Amino acid sequence: MAAALLANVLYSTGFVLEKRALAAMPQVTVRQPARLLRLVLGSPLWIGGSLALASGFGAQLVVYRTLPIAAAQGIFVSGLVILVLLSSVLLGEETSGRERYAIGAILVALLMVVLSLKEGSDTVSRSAPAPLILLVCVPSLAMGVWLYASAERRARHRHRMPTTGVEYGVAVGLLYGVSSLAIKGVSSYLTSSGLGGAVVDLLRSPYPYLLLFTGVFGLVMSQAALQRCRASLIVPVCTTVTCLFTAVLGTLAFGEALPEDPLRLALRIGGTALAVSVLLAMPKHDPPAQPGPPSQHDPPEEPQPPPPTRELTTDEPRRPIAEDTGVPAGQGAAASPRKGDGRPGEY
């Protein structure tokens, strides 16, 4: 239990540090993996986050040697609470009402899974048939890569609402689910005696090669998605898909039995199902950004000059100005005198 909680803290801290480092970098993309790796490896903050994730990986190995897969996944989901809190404090990411309800549901799910545990009564499997592992993992890897590529194509469309990262989280979660099964398989080869023989047997198994594939592709895909989307949303979706995949398919593949006690069985299944239902409560799109009030540090806007007045023109020729005759308008011109009208000077 302590190792699982420590893994949660390390994983959450690592994701938040990587997100903070990615925010200060130029935009990265999966189409330029070499450039992405060069940028992240040049950031001390990102390296610190990756070391925290690697430490969480070590703690996860201890967990899989002591707890059944289903119980471990229920506890790992509780790390979302730590992640959301760290994202709010260190990244300034705000959570919506639906996300806060999801956090409360996760706490209830954690309590149910913890109550389902009973020391010494749960079976922890150590191995699984290699063909069965490949049958589960290879199609899941192909599905994860295909979903991510589809999300990339849709994201390049214009006039598309900003995505919250649910599609990216599901795709990366499938890869990390395969990685969890590989970690579980590697833990079965960690014995206190015969280290040389254990390494040879491990190299003959599919687990190190599954870890290599998920490590390379998961690194590139998760970093590009983490830069574009909120960590407080994409990581919970990724974690939920990973836990669902590992709890269901991992329990079947490794042949771990569920508790026989009906009450403990109901708590185990109900707690895991409640934790997974967080995925259904996550919105798929962020609301459009609202323009905020102008800051006092912003330069004042310069007054815009009035538009130039345009003189009305006409194609009609101008009429000549009439000569002033001294007669009011409308009375016509003065009549000329006629003979015999009795005026002086007439004969």
Side-chain angles (χ1 to χ4, degrees):
M1 178 69 69
L5 295 177
L6 177 61
N8 285 340
V9 174
L10 291 172
Y11 277 132
S12 300
T13 303
F15 277 121
V16 170
L17 290 178
E18 286 186 350
K19 170 66 176 179
R20 194 177 182 90
L22 288 166
M25 296 181 189
Q27 184 177 5
V28 296
T29 175
V30 293
R31 296 188 296 274
Q32 297 176 332
R35 176 176 176 270
L36 186 151
L37 293 176
R38 185 178 70 253
L39 289 173
V40 297
L41 292 177
S43 170
L45 186 60
W46 187 92
I47 293 177
S50 62
L51 291 177
L53 291 177
S55 302
F57 168 81
Q60 195 174 5
L61 285 175
V62 177
V63 173
Y64 281 136
R65 288 184 59 85
T66 55
L67 287 179
I69 290 179
Q73 298 312 308
I75 298 174
F76 286 147
V77 173
S78 66
L80 302 182
V81 179
I82 304 173
L83 175 73
V84 172
L85 293 176
L86 290 177
S87 298
S88 176
V89 174
L90 300 179
L91 302 177
E93 296 181 353
E94 298 181 359
T95 56
S96 65
R98 292 167 67 181
E99 292 166 354
R100 288 190 289 270
Y101 282 124
I103 295 174
I106 290 171
L107 292 175
V108 175
L110 171 63
L111 179 61
M112 294 172 66
V113 173
V114 170
L115 292 176
S116 73
L117 299 176
K118 186 177 181 180
E119 186 177 359
S121 62
D122 290 317
T123 302
V124 180
S125 178
R126 298 298 184 190
S127 62
L132 181 57
I133 290 294
L134 292 176
L135 180 63
V136 170
C137 294
V138 173
S140 302
L141 293 175
M143 178 64 70
V145 174
W146 179 79
L147 283 176
Y148 194 97
S150 300
E152 282 281 280
R153 287 193 298 269
R154 288 192 296 269
R156 290 196 292 267
H157 292 171
R158 292 184 177 181
H159 309 297
R160 176 177 169 85
M161 292 182 63
T163 179
T164 58
V166 173
E167 298 93 341
Y168 294 116
V170 172
V172 178
L174 287 174
L175 266 69
Y176 284 170
V178 173
S179 178
S180 292
L181 293 187
I183 293 173
K184 171 68 176 177
V186 170
S187 68
S188 65
Y189 289 90
L190 299 179
T191 58
S192 56
S193 60
L195 181 59
V199 172
V200 173
D201 293 339
L202 178 62
L203 293 177
R204 292 175 179 174
S205 71
Y207 302 122
Y209 311 104
L210 290 174
L211 279 176
L212 179 63
F213 182 90
T214 56
V216 174
F217 278 78
L219 172 64
V220 175
M221 292 164 58
S222 63
Q223 298 309 303
L226 194 60
Q227 187 186 55
R228 302 175 189 175
C229 310
R230 288 185 292 134
S232 58
L233 194 74
I234 187 174
V235 177
V237 172
C238 175
T239 304
T240 304
V241 173
T242 299
C243 291
L244 174 63
F245 180 93
T246 309
V248 176
L249 298 180
T251 299
L252 296 176
F254 283 88
E256 294 184 349
L258 294 173
E260 297 180 358
D261 182 21
L263 178 59
R264 292 177 55 231
L265 177 62
L267 288 173
R268 178 78 59 84
I269 296 177
T272 304
L274 181 59
V276 169
S277 65
V278 173
L279 178 61
L280 303 177
M282 296 296 180
K284 293 186 177 181
H285 296 285
D286 279 331
Q290 299 293 336
S295 173
Q296 59 180 358
H297 300 290
D298 295 339
E301 296 185 359
E302 297 182 0
Q304 298 294 331
T309 58
R310 186 176 179 183
E311 184 179 358
L312 296 177
T313 60
T314 178
D315 294 334
E316 296 183 8
R318 290 177 178 266
R319 293 193 226 177
I321 301 176
E323 183 180 358
D324 186 10
T325 59
V327 181
Q331 296 184 6
S336 58
R338 292 176 296 180
K339 289 185 178 183
D341 58 359
R343 291 183 182 182
E346 290 184 354
Y347 300 97

PDB file of all heavy atoms in Angstrom, residues 65 126 186-199 201:
ATOM      1  N   ARG A  65       4.492  -7.019  -7.133  1.00  0.00           N
ATOM      2  CA  ARG A  65       4.964  -8.232  -6.472  1.00  0.00           C
ATOM      3  C   ARG A  65       4.189  -8.517  -5.193  1.00  0.00           C
ATOM      4  O   ARG A  65       4.304  -9.616  -4.641  1.00  0.00           O
ATOM      5  CB  ARG A  65       6.462  -8.117  -6.165  1.00  0.00           C
ATOM      6  CG  ARG A  65       7.356  -8.204  -7.394  1.00  0.00           C
ATOM      7  CD  ARG A  65       8.829  -8.187  -7.008  1.00  0.00           C
ATOM      8  NE  ARG A  65       9.159  -9.308  -6.120  1.00  0.00           N
ATOM      9  CZ  ARG A  65       9.473 -10.527  -6.539  1.00  0.00           C
ATOM     10  NH1 ARG A  65       9.467 -10.797  -7.842  1.00  0.00           N
ATOM     11  NH2 ARG A  65       9.776 -11.472  -5.692  1.00  0.00           N
ATOM     12  N   ARG A 126       2.568 -14.819 -10.754  1.00  0.00           N
ATOM     13  CA  ARG A 126       3.929 -14.438 -11.108  1.00  0.00           C
ATOM     14  C   ARG A 126       4.211 -14.506 -12.601  1.00  0.00           C
ATOM     15  O   ARG A 126       5.206 -13.937 -13.061  1.00  0.00           O
ATOM     16  CB  ARG A 126       4.929 -15.350 -10.381  1.00  0.00           C
ATOM     17  CG  ARG A 126       4.864 -15.269  -8.864  1.00  0.00           C
ATOM     18  CD  ARG A 126       5.192 -13.889  -8.358  1.00  0.00           C
ATOM     19  NE  ARG A 126       5.217 -13.818  -6.907  1.00  0.00           N
ATOM     20  CZ  ARG A 126       5.296 -12.693  -6.216  1.00  0.00           C
ATOM     21  NH1 ARG A 126       5.360 -11.540  -6.850  1.00  0.00           N
ATOM     22  NH2 ARG A 126       5.306 -12.707  -4.901  1.00  0.00           N
ATOM     23  N   VAL A 186       7.779  -8.368 -15.907  1.00  0.00           N
ATOM     24  CA  VAL A 186       9.177  -8.208 -15.499  1.00  0.00           C
ATOM     25  C   VAL A 186       9.331  -8.487 -14.010  1.00  0.00           C
ATOM     26  O   VAL A 186      10.327  -9.092 -13.572  1.00  0.00           O
ATOM     27  CB  VAL A 186       9.665  -6.790 -15.853  1.00  0.00           C
ATOM     28  CG1 VAL A 186      11.023  -6.517 -15.215  1.00  0.00           C
ATOM     29  CG2 VAL A 186       9.762  -6.628 -17.361  1.00  0.00           C
ATOM     30  N   SER A 187       8.354  -8.070 -13.208  1.00  0.00           N
ATOM     31  CA  SER A 187       8.440  -8.282 -11.753  1.00  0.00           C
ATOM     32  C   SER A 187       8.490  -9.757 -11.404  1.00  0.00           C
ATOM     33  O   SER A 187       9.035 -10.131 -10.355  1.00  0.00           O
ATOM     34  CB  SER A 187       7.258  -7.611 -11.059  1.00  0.00           C
ATOM     35  OG  SER A 187       6.042  -8.278 -11.383  1.00  0.00           O
ATOM     36  N   SER A 188       7.943 -10.618 -12.255  1.00  0.00           N
ATOM     37  CA  SER A 188       7.965 -12.052 -11.957  1.00  0.00           C
ATOM     38  C   SER A 188       9.350 -12.654 -12.138  1.00  0.00           C
ATOM     39  O   SER A 188       9.622 -13.750 -11.631  1.00  0.00           O
ATOM     40  CB  SER A 188       6.963 -12.787 -12.863  1.00  0.00           C
ATOM     41  OG  SER A 188       7.351 -12.690 -14.222  1.00  0.00           O
ATOM     42  N   TYR A 189      10.244 -11.951 -12.837  1.00  0.00           N
ATOM     43  CA  TYR A 189      11.595 -12.457 -13.053  1.00  0.00           C
ATOM     44  C   TYR A 189      12.583 -11.907 -12.024  1.00  0.00           C
ATOM     45  O   TYR A 189      13.757 -12.289 -12.045  1.00  0.00           O
ATOM     46  CB  TYR A 189      12.095 -12.104 -14.453  1.00  0.00           C
ATOM     47  CG  TYR A 189      11.407 -12.882 -15.553  1.00  0.00           C
ATOM     48  CD1 TYR A 189      10.248 -12.399 -16.144  1.00  0.00           C
ATOM     49  CD2 TYR A 189      11.909 -14.093 -15.998  1.00  0.00           C
ATOM     50  CE1 TYR A 189       9.613 -13.109 -17.152  1.00  0.00           C
ATOM     51  CE2 TYR A 189      11.276 -14.812 -17.004  1.00  0.00           C
ATOM     52  CZ  TYR A 189      10.125 -14.314 -17.576  1.00  0.00           C
ATOM     53  OH  TYR A 189       9.480 -15.022 -18.572  1.00  0.00           O
ATOM     54  N   LEU A 190      12.140 -10.997 -11.175  1.00  0.00           N
ATOM     55  CA  LEU A 190      13.036 -10.415 -10.174  1.00  0.00           C
ATOM     56  C   LEU A 190      13.089 -11.339  -8.971  1.00  0.00           C
ATOM     57  O   LEU A 190      12.209 -11.330  -8.101  1.00  0.00           O
ATOM     58  CB  LEU A 190      12.540  -9.023  -9.766  1.00  0.00           C
ATOM     59  CG  LEU A 190      12.469  -7.992 -10.897  1.00  0.00           C
ATOM     60  CD1 LEU A 190      11.948  -6.663 -10.374  1.00  0.00           C
ATOM     61  CD2 LEU A 190      13.836  -7.815 -11.548  1.00  0.00           C
ATOM     62  N   THR A 191      14.103 -12.157  -8.909  1.00  0.00           N
ATOM     63  CA  THR A 191      14.280 -13.100  -7.809  1.00  0.00           C
ATOM     64  C   THR A 191      15.569 -12.767  -7.075  1.00  0.00           C
ATOM     65  O   THR A 191      16.478 -12.126  -7.609  1.00  0.00           O
ATOM     66  CB  THR A 191      14.333 -14.537  -8.332  1.00  0.00           C
ATOM     67  OG1 THR A 191      15.397 -14.652  -9.281  1.00  0.00           O
ATOM     68  CG2 THR A 191      13.017 -14.905  -9.014  1.00  0.00           C
ATOM     69  N   SER A 192      15.641 -13.220  -5.855  1.00  0.00           N
ATOM     70  CA  SER A 192      16.820 -12.935  -5.028  1.00  0.00           C
ATOM     71  C   SER A 192      18.006 -13.825  -5.373  1.00  0.00           C
ATOM     72  O   SER A 192      19.133 -13.541  -4.979  1.00  0.00           O
ATOM     73  CB  SER A 192      16.465 -13.114  -3.538  1.00  0.00           C
ATOM     74  OG  SER A 192      15.952 -14.423  -3.315  1.00  0.00           O
ATOM     75  N   SER A 193      17.769 -14.924  -6.067  1.00  0.00           N
ATOM     76  CA  SER A 193      18.854 -15.834  -6.417  1.00  0.00           C
ATOM     77  C   SER A 193      18.848 -16.070  -7.926  1.00  0.00           C
ATOM     78  O   SER A 193      17.811 -16.014  -8.578  1.00  0.00           O
ATOM     79  CB  SER A 193      18.693 -17.173  -5.676  1.00  0.00           C
ATOM     80  OG  SER A 193      17.454 -17.781  -6.019  1.00  0.00           O
ATOM     81  N   GLY A 194      20.015 -16.384  -8.443  1.00  0.00           N
ATOM     82  CA  GLY A 194      20.130 -16.687  -9.871  1.00  0.00           C
ATOM     83  C   GLY A 194      19.864 -15.486 -10.741  1.00  0.00           C
ATOM     84  O   GLY A 194      19.032 -15.560 -11.662  1.00  0.00           O
ATOM     85  N   LEU A 195      20.555 -14.375 -10.497  1.00  0.00           N
ATOM     86  CA  LEU A 195      20.307 -13.159 -11.249  1.00  0.00           C
ATOM     87  C   LEU A 195      20.669 -13.324 -12.720  1.00  0.00           C
ATOM     88  O   LEU A 195      19.949 -12.866 -13.612  1.00  0.00           O
ATOM     89  CB  LEU A 195      21.115 -12.002 -10.644  1.00  0.00           C
ATOM     90  CG  LEU A 195      20.932 -10.633 -11.317  1.00  0.00           C
ATOM     91  CD1 LEU A 195      19.476 -10.200 -11.267  1.00  0.00           C
ATOM     92  CD2 LEU A 195      21.835  -9.589 -10.660  1.00  0.00           C
ATOM     93  N   GLY A 196      21.783 -14.018 -13.002  1.00  0.00           N
ATOM     94  CA  GLY A 196      22.188 -14.200 -14.395  1.00  0.00           C
ATOM     95  C   GLY A 196      21.166 -14.988 -15.184  1.00  0.00           C
ATOM     96  O   GLY A 196      20.802 -14.612 -16.305  1.00  0.00           O
ATOM     97  N   GLY A 197      20.691 -16.094 -14.601  1.00  0.00           N
ATOM     98  CA  GLY A 197      19.676 -16.883 -15.285  1.00  0.00           C
ATOM     99  C   GLY A 197      18.372 -16.127 -15.453  1.00  0.00           C
ATOM    100  O   GLY A 197      17.673 -16.288 -16.459  1.00  0.00           O
ATOM    101  N   ALA A 198      18.029 -15.274 -14.453  1.00  0.00           N
ATOM    102  CA  ALA A 198      16.799 -14.487 -14.543  1.00  0.00           C
ATOM    103  C   ALA A 198      16.868 -13.489 -15.686  1.00  0.00           C
ATOM    104  O   ALA A 198      15.872 -13.272 -16.399  1.00  0.00           O
ATOM    105  CB  ALA A 198      16.546 -13.766 -13.221  1.00  0.00           C
ATOM    106  N   VAL A 199      18.041 -12.890 -15.911  1.00  0.00           N
ATOM    107  CA  VAL A 199      18.194 -11.932 -17.008  1.00  0.00           C
ATOM    108  C   VAL A 199      18.054 -12.631 -18.353  1.00  0.00           C
ATOM    109  O   VAL A 199      17.398 -12.117 -19.283  1.00  0.00           O
ATOM    110  CB  VAL A 199      19.556 -11.216 -16.893  1.00  0.00           C
ATOM    111  CG1 VAL A 199      19.813 -10.374 -18.134  1.00  0.00           C
ATOM    112  CG2 VAL A 199      19.597 -10.354 -15.639  1.00  0.00           C
ATOM    113  N   ASP A 201      16.386 -15.416 -18.957  1.00  0.00           N
ATOM    114  CA  ASP A 201      14.972 -15.770 -19.133  1.00  0.00           C
ATOM    115  C   ASP A 201      14.129 -14.551 -19.472  1.00  0.00           C
ATOM    116  O   ASP A 201      13.181 -14.642 -20.267  1.00  0.00           O
ATOM    117  CB  ASP A 201      14.442 -16.428 -17.849  1.00  0.00           C
ATOM    118  CG  ASP A 201      15.082 -17.788 -17.599  1.00  0.00           C
ATOM    119  OD1 ASP A 201      15.595 -18.387 -18.571  1.00  0.00           O
ATOM    120  OD2 ASP A 201      15.081 -18.234 -16.431  1.00  0.00           O
TER     121      ASP A 201
END
